[in-house]
Amino acid sequence: MTSREIREAFLAFFESKNHHIVPSAPVVVKNDPTLMFTNAGMNQFKDIFLGEARANYSRVADTQRCLRVSGKHNDLEEVGIDTYHHTLFEMLGNWSFGDYFKKEAILWSWELLTEVYKLDKDRLYVTIFEGDETEGLSKDNEAYTYWSEIIASDRILLGNKKDNFWEMGDTGPCGPCSEIHVDCRTDAERNAVDGRTLVNADHPQVIEIWNLVFMQFNRQKDGSLHPLPAKHVDTGMGFERLVRVIQQKASNYDTDVFQPIIDYVARKANIPYGSDEKADIAMRVLADHIRAISFTIADGQLPSNNRAGYVIRRILRRAVRYAYTFLHFKEPFLHELVPLLAQQFEGVFDELASQQDFVQKVVLEEEQSFLRTLVTGVQRFESYAKEKQAVTGDFAFELYDTFGFPIDLTDLLAREKGLKVDMQGFQQALAEQRDRSRAATAIDTDDWVVLRESEATDFVGYDQTESETEILKYRKVTTKGKEQYQLVLAVTPFYAEGGGQVGDTGVLVSRQTNEKIIVTDTKKENGLIVHYVQSLPKQLQGTFRAVVDIEKRRETENNHSATHLLHAALKQVLGSHVNQKGSLVNAEYLRFDFSHFAKVTDEELLQIERIVNGKIRENIPLKEERDVPFQQAVDAGVTALFGEKYGDHVRVITFDGHFSKELCGGTHVQATGQIGFFKIVAESAVAAGVRRVEAITGGAAERFIEEQAKTVNAFRELLNNPKDALSALNRLLEENNALRKAVERAVTDKALQLKRELAAKAEDINGVTFIAGRVNLPNAEAVKTLAYALKGEIENLFLVLGAEINGKPSLTVVISDNLINEKSWNAGAIVRELAKDIQGGGGGQPFYATAGGKDLEGLPQALAKAKDWVLS
């Protein structure tokens, strides 16, 4: 079976068992502060397991794109080295939300593996939870009973808490699990060593392929376990491992999931796969990493220096490093793999094919940038290695942190120079950085204190900005020692941050005591609307009046509706390729990121502004449609955003059916006239192929125009109110430019005069032409001009110039190239030593260096010391 057939067979099997097939959620996680990436198939159902949302279907199956490169699931440095770790992988899964439990999950898994996929039963082993006395948990006899009906008892193995008790995190739903393992060894190997002894022993050929998790408990913060009100099934089967087993390959990378890309890389590198171990690892790295890079970019996460973006950049740079070092690709290559990947997943994950050009260009620009950094890092190492007997841990960490060098690349460069790397020092520096990072992001969250049971919050914020409510539950959250509280309300008009729109603020007013509690923010966490407050009400029971800050909401709505008009206008002016890549909407301004590969010209920006303001003046009424079937909306031409997870039913926002029609959960103006006025204030680049427009509306736009008018009037007054202010300003600039050139000529003439005076004072000391003196020049550029002029005319030159620049001392050292080679002199090292007399420091190149300081009185001593340097 091909990999495509294997995937289709899984989904068809569970569809026949009355499971609803759902699409993969985006790789990048939103509305969950505990996750950056989807790292398991259950992530998109987390709110159901937590009891914070109702399941639309009691039985579900899918194939989910997952990424494991951060946190406790960090396999990155293993990827490519072995043959079964991956960054991005597919997780085939089936779920039951309070429907079937252990019996069906076990019987169906066995049926699929042995009757559909035809796996050899004699190669399969299963594990069950052995129990844990410290937790008060007994052996999972229920699972054992069902397994014993279909597999020999000597193939049912007991597993400890580490292997066979699955937990979502430190707190939350958890339960025993039952794993299915397969022995892929040869018959001879199987006869020599019993496979049961190799289960969960990290044997590369005896591997787990499916984990059946039976969620029965909820872990509290104090560590105690409480039974869940409803039992769930959560299974996950690694697609790449399954394909390897069915296709009878020794490695995941030998399957048709990876071989097309590996074959392409091997041809381009002119190195047959299997001929060189290091090249093989590099090819596996490229074949794996391009999947993680491409799908995360397609899902809306661009490479950057922060959080999720940094992880993607790190993966991309690791791929480039391997291609550069072991496959000898000195020019960008990784982007060439994107079209192959898009074709491979066509009809499975079409978001990549839909954005192929965009993803490819982003990868190309990142490659170009990093290759420049890589070359700089190698040069930095070469310079360092000239003076060292070993590579310190701090320097190895600097290469890792600044230039993206993995420790193995630093070690390779060091070994080529006959140097050793202080691995212990590197690991210590790395651990210190990780500790700092953990401390900066540490959040201590208490368990929820439930005041009243309820299935979900009733959000009424589309229609109301004020409502009667009760507090359902609360918890304390501590971040960097600062305490605050989170509340969940029965009914809320507060919009939770999402879709780029910030969360509402406002107040909760107790009906009993009239106490006011300030709501500082509203966010959504796993489908739960959470209200942030600095303190709890003195009386938690009873009713409250929830009141949104209406002024802030109104200004935010102006900016949000304006982003919809802006999106449509951008498509109209720049082309249909424009797609939203991110946004921020608050009460002060709007920020809109979009795909486009050139700077938006001033003329285009003006045209966009005119279109948006024209739609505002038309006062187009809002058309809001709730609970529209998703496919119906898409078929009607509604704009859906890549990287967003939409439900079966969606909300459609329309301003003029032929102009702007988008899926959106945010709040909006009732008619475009409320926006008042739209003004673009900035346009810039965000990343490869992504531009950003910042704009203001309403009162903010009005104030901006007023300030601009004041500035223009002030300019006119300074110019004595000419009839043609622009012409007058141009004349003034021309006069200023002429005066500036005259000053530059005067300074140059003075520098040339000084050149003659200094050359006349030159001393010949042991074959070195020595010049040292204090010069009176107005700026550093003039001193540099003088220094280079002397260097160009005088041989064997050792020059030291002192000057006062803006009231502070400066030193300049110039050395002829032949002296650098003959005497191993370095201007940078010398100027640093001389700068001690002026209480300063500096550096530069071997032939030219400068330093600045604080003590003018030290200049004569520094110049005198320069002569001692030549005499020594």
Side-chain angles (χ1 to χ4, degrees), residues 152-165:
S153 59
D154 63 347
R155 291 180 174 272
I156 306 173
L157 311 178
L158 298 181
N160 58 24
K161 182 180 171 184
K162 175 179 175 293
D163 291 325
N164 282 87
F165 193 87

Side-chain angles (χ1 to χ4, degrees), residues 33 35 37 82 87 166 176 250 408 474 481 528 846:
L35 286 174
F37 302 105
D82 61 32
T87 51
W166 188 92
D408 56 345
Y474 69 91
L528 198 66

Side-chain angles (χ1 to χ4, degrees), residues 340-526:
L340 293 176
L341 196 66
Q343 182 180 6
Q344 180 180 350
F345 284 99
E346 193 170 358
V348 182
F349 305 127
D350 284 324
E351 48 269 71
L352 183 54
S354 301
Q355 302 177 86
Q356 177 182 310
D357 291 344
F358 170 73
V359 173
Q360 195 169 12
K361 288 177 180 177
V362 172
V363 174
L364 172 60
E365 183 162 306
E366 281 287 318
E367 284 188 276
Q368 291 171 330
S369 173
F370 181 57
L371 281 170
R372 291 191 294 269
T373 302
L374 194 63
V375 170
T376 304
V378 171
Q379 292 171 346
R380 173 88 176 86
F381 179 88
E382 293 290 336
S383 175
Y384 173 91
K386 286 180 182 178
E387 309 168 0
K388 304 294 180 180
Q389 301 300 314
V391 178
T392 67
D394 286 342
F395 180 73
F397 181 73
E398 177 193 333
L399 290 180
Y400 169 84
D401 198 42
T402 305
F403 299 99
F405 277 40
I407 189 62
D408 56 345
L409 179 55
T410 302
D411 188 49
L412 175 67
L413 293 171
R415 280 189 278 110
E416 289 175 352
K417 299 284 186 183
L419 304 177
K420 285 189 175 182
V421 179
D422 177 10
M423 291 294 188
Q424 186 175 350
F426 170 80
Q427 293 298 338
Q428 181 178 342
L430 183 62
E432 289 172 356
Q433 185 205 48
R434 287 173 177 166
D435 289 342
R436 289 192 299 269
S437 178
R438 289 193 194 100
T441 58
I443 299 175
D444 184 25
T445 305
D446 285 0
D447 292 326
W448 285 110
V449 178
V450 178
L451 302 177
R452 198 189 104 192
E453 293 290 349
S454 179
E455 287 190 351
T457 298
D458 182 14
F459 174 65
V460 296
Y462 293 140
D463 307 307
Q464 302 169 217
T465 55
E466 185 175 329
S467 66
E468 295 290 316
T469 191
E470 295 176 295
I471 299 175
L472 297 178
K473 57 184 177 180
Y474 69 91
R475 68 183 177 187
K476 184 172 72 175
V477 178
T478 305
T479 307
K480 297 182 181 178
K482 183 180 179 181
E483 292 182 356
Q484 62 179 330
Y485 294 87
Q486 297 175 349
L487 309 178
V488 176
L489 305 178
V491 179
T492 183
F494 288 82
Y495 176 79
E497 179 182 315
Q501 180 176 334
V502 297
D504 279 332
T505 60
V507 296
L508 283 176
V509 183
S510 171
R511 286 296 194 187
Q512 284 71 41
T513 66
N514 209 36
E515 180 187 11
K516 290 185 178 180
I517 299 296
I518 305 298
V519 177
T520 60
D521 202 356
T522 312
K523 295 181 183 291
K524 188 171 284 188
E525 184 176 322
N526 300 315

Side-chain angles (χ1 to χ4, degrees), residues 159-214:
N160 58 24
K161 182 180 171 184
K162 175 179 175 293
D163 291 325
N164 282 87
F165 193 87
W166 188 92
E167 305 202 46
M168 184 182 295
D170 294 333
T171 61
C174 54
C177 62
S178 193
E179 298 174 343
I180 304 174
H181 297 252
V182 59
D183 187 346
C184 300
R185 295 174 301 154
T186 64
D187 288 340
E189 291 171 323
R190 292 170 61 216
N191 290 331
V193 178
D194 190 344
R196 57 182 287 126
T197 65
L198 302 177
V199 170
N200 278 331
D202 292 327
H203 193 285
Q205 299 297 323
V206 182
I207 56 175
E208 174 202 337
I209 56 170
W210 207 344
N211 190 12
L212 316 179
V213 177
F214 310 120

Side-chain angles (χ1 to χ4, degrees), residues 102 128-144 158-161 164-165 175-177 216-217 225:
K102 297 181 184 179
I128 64 166
F129 181 46
E130 67 182 5
D132 189 299
E133 288 186 7
T134 61
E135 296 273 13
L137 297 171
S138 59
K139 172 186 169 185
D140 191 352
N141 289 308
E142 184 181 1
Y144 181 86
L158 298 181
N160 58 24
K161 182 180 171 184
N164 282 87
F165 193 87
C177 62
Q216 298 176 240
F217 306 104
L225 293 172

Side-chain angles (χ1 to χ4, degrees), residues 694-713:
E694 295 180 45
I696 50 180
T697 64
E702 183 179 340
R703 291 188 292 274
F704 177 83
I705 297 300
E706 289 171 354
E707 289 299 320
Q708 293 293 305
K710 285 180 183 178
T711 301
V712 171
N713 289 335

Side-chain angles (χ1 to χ4, degrees), residues 153-340:
S153 59
D154 63 347
R155 291 180 174 272
I156 306 173
L157 311 178
L158 298 181
N160 58 24
K161 182 180 171 184
K162 175 179 175 293
D163 291 325
N164 282 87
F165 193 87
W166 188 92
E167 305 202 46
M168 184 182 295
D170 294 333
T171 61
C174 54
C177 62
S178 193
E179 298 174 343
I180 304 174
H181 297 252
V182 59
D183 187 346
C184 300
R185 295 174 301 154
T186 64
D187 288 340
E189 291 171 323
R190 292 170 61 216
N191 290 331
V193 178
D194 190 344
R196 57 182 287 126
T197 65
L198 302 177
V199 170
N200 278 331
D202 292 327
H203 193 285
Q205 299 297 323
V206 182
I207 56 175
E208 174 202 337
I209 56 170
W210 207 344
N211 190 12
L212 316 179
V213 177
F214 310 120
M215 291 197 185
Q216 298 176 240
F217 306 104
N218 187 33
R219 174 81 69 183
Q220 300 295 307
K221 187 179 180 182
D222 64 6
S224 61
L225 293 172
H226 298 273
L228 288 171
K231 296 177 179 180
H232 310 293
V233 170
D234 161 21
T235 86
M237 176 157 55
F239 174 68
E240 292 78 10
R241 289 190 179 190
L242 176 66
V243 174
R244 164 190 169 183
V245 171
I246 293 174
Q247 294 184 354
Q248 298 182 7
K249 302 294 185 181
S251 159
N252 293 7
Y253 292 96
D254 292 339
T255 68
D256 65 348
V257 175
F258 295 99
Q259 274 302 304
I261 290 179
I262 289 176
D263 287 345
Y264 181 85
V265 174
R267 289 198 305 273
K268 288 290 184 175
N270 198 27
I271 303 174
Y273 183 62
S275 63
D276 178 84
E277 182 182 1
K278 291 182 178 178
D280 289 352
I281 291 172
M283 292 181 200
R284 292 196 291 267
V285 167
L286 265 62
D288 173 275
H289 286 13
I290 190 60
R291 289 154 43 103
I293 295 161
S294 298
F295 279 113
T296 47
I297 294 173
D299 277 347
Q301 180 57 63
L302 297 171
S304 70
N305 288 328
N306 297 306
R307 287 182 57 78
Y310 175 72
V311 174
I312 301 311
R313 176 166 282 169
R314 184 172 167 225
I315 295 172
L316 190 150
R317 289 183 168 189
R318 185 174 188 258
V320 173
R321 291 193 309 257
Y322 272 90
Y324 179 92
T325 306
F326 301 110
L327 300 177
H328 314 300
F329 288 123
K330 305 306 180 187
E331 298 295 327
F333 169 74
L334 197 62
H335 66 285
E336 292 185 26
L337 305 179
V338 176
L340 293 176

